[in-house]
Amino acid sequence: MDADSALDDSYFDHCPWDFGSRASPAQRDAQTAHQKRLTDDGASIGPRCFVSPAAGVFADTLRLGENSYIAGHAYVTGEITTGSDCTVNPYATVRGRIVLGDGVRIGAHSSLLGFNHGFGPDLPVHRQPLTSKGITVGDDVWIGSNVVVLDGVTIGDHCVVGAGAVVTKDLPPWSVAAGNPARRLRDRRDTGPARRGPAESGDGLGEQIARFADRARAQAADLLARAWDADAGRYRDRPGAPLTVRAHCDAVEIADLLLGSPPPQLSAAGHAERLRALQDPAEGMVPELAADGGPGVLPARAADGWIDDGAAEYHVLSVGYALELLGSRFAHPVRPVERTTAGGLVARLESLPWRTRAWTAGAWVDCWATGAHHNLGLGAAAGEPGALEALFGWLSTRVDPWTGMWGAASSPAEGRLQLVNGHYRLTRGSFAQFGIQLPYPERVVDTVLDHGADPRWFAAGRQNACNVLDVAHPLWLVGRRSDHRAAEVRAWAGQQLTHALGQWRDGTGFGFGPPGEGGSGPGREPGLQGTEMWLAIVWLLADLVGVADRLGYRPRGVHRPEAARSPAPGPPGQPVLVDKTL
């Protein structure tokens, strides 16, 4: 199309950068008249600007620098000031108090929201007051498509914000940021080969994990078939191991990660039917299988009504999430959770062995809170009124502000092993699962990194899946809020990721690793449990170093990064804090 060809007005609504060179005299006159209407209402518009008549521009203050444009279907309100050469592309939203420097590009469908809305409990939401801290964007900034920038944020000069990011905190100059919430991935000036990180290195971790993922996917079906016992119609962790409930759940998770489908031995409905049939209808918990592979039997209730059985407690997680991956749910509510009172919950929490076995205490919280999640999904009760609130209230008032943990600080025999591993189990089921921000995130990083340097658990050849997961998850979780010691976090994750990738065994998958405390865990032999756990760990580690996109999968079950339930109750007197990306 030549420069003299007639272009429909809608073309410039969507391609306003061509207006200066390709608009007809009549279109220029119409644009001049449109800008005059805006300036008559108080706007200030520099030379060589374009404001689409199809944009909703209802600003209290509009100062548009020269060579800038607002494209069609953009929505602009509030107090807007831009420098020169700024662009607001189609369907973007710019509202509140917004100040843009020179050369700012705002991608299509992005939103800069320079205001906020109250949500206190004293008034209905529609009567809550508005507040506005404003958004400031420096010079030479590219904000990609579908980005959201929240009130109070400053984006420094020369930043690039990747498509789909949610920017919740300030970005320093020269940042390249992405993610939800957005985090700084690198310095924009770091382009030379000597300064590349693992994500950019041609033969670095990004390439390694892409090759690993292709290899794992190609072997996934055979790996699952190896563990299937056709006579019993159930799975073993590996040939020769007992038939277990967890093995079936691990198979469902592995197939979801690597194949994007149920394990090929049964249909989704067939897998779900077998798992649902294992739930005890009276108690709503799933006992371990009997020796012949048939349904097991739960022990009697404890005095407070709880079922104290480690396997059944973990099955609340593994079976419940496997059913969700299969498009199903438990057949019955988890009854011990359903009948919990607030007082009974607090009494149980107080009785847990926080100072001697923090992992055991955290695992109980994980089970109870996950049972609450599944019950809510069934429309059943998450305890009697006030129980769920009591859980978060108790946890929020018992956390140690010096460590960000619950339980004893350390012991000579184990160091911080119980403390950190208990923290993972506790927060997985409560804060992470319900999308509530963790308290004292910087102290969590300090404690977890200190533990991650302990050679008893993390020297080469001594890692097991539990110990690495229990460090990687909290680092990932609090890393969504804080850049505290970010370089050390990436270095630790990169080191562990390199080790993990080398542990895959063709045709059999991952082994859990050396036995953990007390000889727990299935050991070094590759099987379903080790494979399921390490696949999730690899994703967490890869995301910490910025290369998870090369894997082509994202955990959706027990080890999912996103919150499973929203909204969640906050601690007493505190607002609800929900982050669906945890």
Side-chain angles (χ1 to χ4, degrees):
M1 184 179 292
D2 59 55
D4 296 326
S5 299
L7 292 168
D8 186 86
D9 290 345
S10 65
Y11 174 86
F12 297 116
D13 293 335
H14 295 88
C15 304
W17 49 85
D18 280 344
F19 185 85
S21 61
R22 307 186 68 176
S24 68
Q27 288 167 330
R28 295 177 193 278
D29 290 342
Q31 176 63 198
T32 298
H34 179 56
Q35 291 189 21
K36 185 177 185 303
R37 286 191 291 273
L38 293 172
T39 56
D40 285 347
D41 287 337
S44 171
I45 301 176
R48 298 177 300 282
C49 287
F50 175 84
V51 180
S52 169
V57 179
F58 308 109
D60 300 319
T61 302
L62 176 63
R63 297 185 177 89
L64 203 61
E66 63 183 29
N67 298 311
S68 297
Y69 59 75
I70 299 174
H73 311 289
Y75 181 31
V76 179
T77 70
E79 302 173 16
I80 314 300
T81 300
T82 85
S84 60
D85 299 293
C86 289
T87 65
V88 178
N89 275 301
Y91 300 97
T93 297
V94 181
R95 303 188 64 197
R97 294 199 301 113
I98 310 292
V99 177
L100 308 181
D102 295 331
V104 176
R105 295 289 187 270
I106 300 173
H109 298 278
S110 288
S111 297
L112 275 64
L113 305 175
F115 68 99
N116 207 343
H117 204 292
F119 52 93
D122 54 327
L123 290 173
V125 170
H126 72 278
R127 295 182 180 174
Q128 294 282 345
L130 294 179
T131 60
S132 181
K133 299 177 182 177
I135 294 171
T136 301
V137 180
D139 299 333
D140 180 36
V141 172
W142 176 18
I143 297 173
S145 296
N146 290 293
V147 169
V148 177
V149 183
L150 299 185
D151 189 34
V153 165
T154 295
I155 299 177
D157 296 343
H158 314 296
C159 286
V160 174
V161 182
V166 179
V167 186
T168 62
K169 58 186 177 182
D170 294 353
L171 293 175
W174 296 102
S175 295
V176 177
N180 179 2
R183 62 188 179 101
R184 191 173 190 267
L185 302 179
R186 63 181 178 89
D187 190 298
R188 181 179 163 192
R189 295 165 293 188
D190 288 348
T191 57
R195 300 181 68 181
R196 283 182 178 175
E200 292 80 38
S201 172
D203 194 34
L205 282 175
E207 291 297 324
Q208 290 181 48
I209 66 169
R211 291 194 296 269
F212 156 75
D214 289 342
R215 196 163 125 205
R217 272 188 287 271
Q219 299 175 24
D222 290 341
L223 187 152
L224 294 168
R226 170 180 179 262
W228 174 251
D229 187 314
D231 293 333
R234 300 199 185 278
Y235 290 91
R236 306 178 187 273
D237 182 71
R238 57 191 181 276
L243 300 166
T244 62
V245 174
R246 177 165 183 165
H248 200 146
C249 301
D250 288 335
V252 171
E253 297 241 16
I254 292 166
D256 186 76
L257 288 167
L258 297 180
L259 302 176
S261 66
Q265 285 70 38
L266 298 169
S267 66
H271 285 292
E273 180 182 356
R274 296 201 181 191
L275 289 174
R276 281 164 57 90
L278 298 176
Q279 191 184 25
D280 182 276
E283 297 295 344
M285 297 181 76
V286 179
E288 188 52 272
L289 298 175
D292 62 358
V297 178
L298 289 170
R301 297 180 194 173
D304 62 0
W306 188 255
I307 305 292
D308 285 310
D309 180 277
E313 288 176 347
Y314 191 78
H315 295 159
V316 173
L317 282 64
S318 59
V319 178
Y321 271 112
L323 287 170
E324 288 187 5
L325 292 176
L326 296 166
S328 184
R329 293 188 183 277
F330 276 129
H332 313 283
V334 181
R335 303 295 184 187
V337 171
E338 188 178 42
R339 58 179 172 250
T340 302
T341 65
L345 179 63
V346 169
R348 167 64 76 144
L349 290 169
E350 295 283 359
S351 72
L352 293 173
W354 295 103
R355 299 204 58 80
T356 57
R357 289 180 290 129
W359 184 89
T360 300
W364 188 89
V365 173
D366 192 1
C367 171
W368 192 92
T370 304
H373 156 69
H374 291 312
N375 281 7
L376 291 170
L378 288 171
E384 294 192 10
L388 197 55
E389 290 80 0
L391 173 70
F392 285 100
W394 192 93
L395 293 174
S396 297
T397 56
R398 298 306 195 277
V399 61
D400 182 351
W402 296 104
T403 63
M405 307 273 136
W406 291 262
S410 62
S411 73
E414 296 181 330
R416 296 180 181 268
L417 181 68
Q418 284 277 339
L419 187 70
V420 172
N421 289 12
H423 177 272
Y424 161 69
R425 284 300 302 271
L426 181 152
T427 57
R428 193 221 71 85
S430 56
F431 291 87
Q433 182 161 241
F434 283 84
I436 298 178
Q437 294 176 354
L438 284 183
Y440 308 111
E442 287 78 16
R443 301 294 75 76
V444 171
V445 172
D446 291 339
T447 303
V448 170
L449 280 180
D450 180 68
H451 172 59
D454 191 329
R456 290 175 291 181
W457 319 114
F458 299 99
R462 295 188 180 181
Q463 300 98 324
N464 69 37
C466 272
N467 292 345
V468 178
L469 173 65
D470 296 354
V471 172
H473 184 269
L475 290 178
W476 186 92
L477 195 61
V478 301
R480 320 314 290 174
R481 293 178 57 197
S482 172
D483 289 331
H484 182 59
R485 300 176 68 180
E488 295 172 74
V489 170
R490 286 193 296 272
W492 186 90
Q495 182 183 43
Q496 294 299 325
L497 180 57
T498 299
H499 172 268
L501 294 175
Q503 302 310 301
W504 177 266
R505 298 293 175 261
D506 285 333
T508 57
F510 284 114
F512 176 86
E517 179 264 332
S520 63
R524 297 177 183 271
E525 289 299 313
L528 296 183
Q529 181 179 340
T531 301
E532 183 273 324
M533 291 186 71
W534 279 109
L535 287 173
I537 293 164
V538 164
W539 187 91
L540 288 166
L541 295 172
D543 202 55
L544 285 170
V545 298
V547 293
D549 61 310
R550 304 296 299 275
L551 284 169
Y553 69 77
R554 186 182 185 93
R556 298 195 307 133
V558 171
H559 301 116
R560 58 184 292 157
E562 286 80 16
R565 178 156 296 280
S566 169
Q574 297 294 319
V576 174
L577 298 174
V578 175
D579 184 345
K580 294 184 180 180
T581 69
L582 296 178

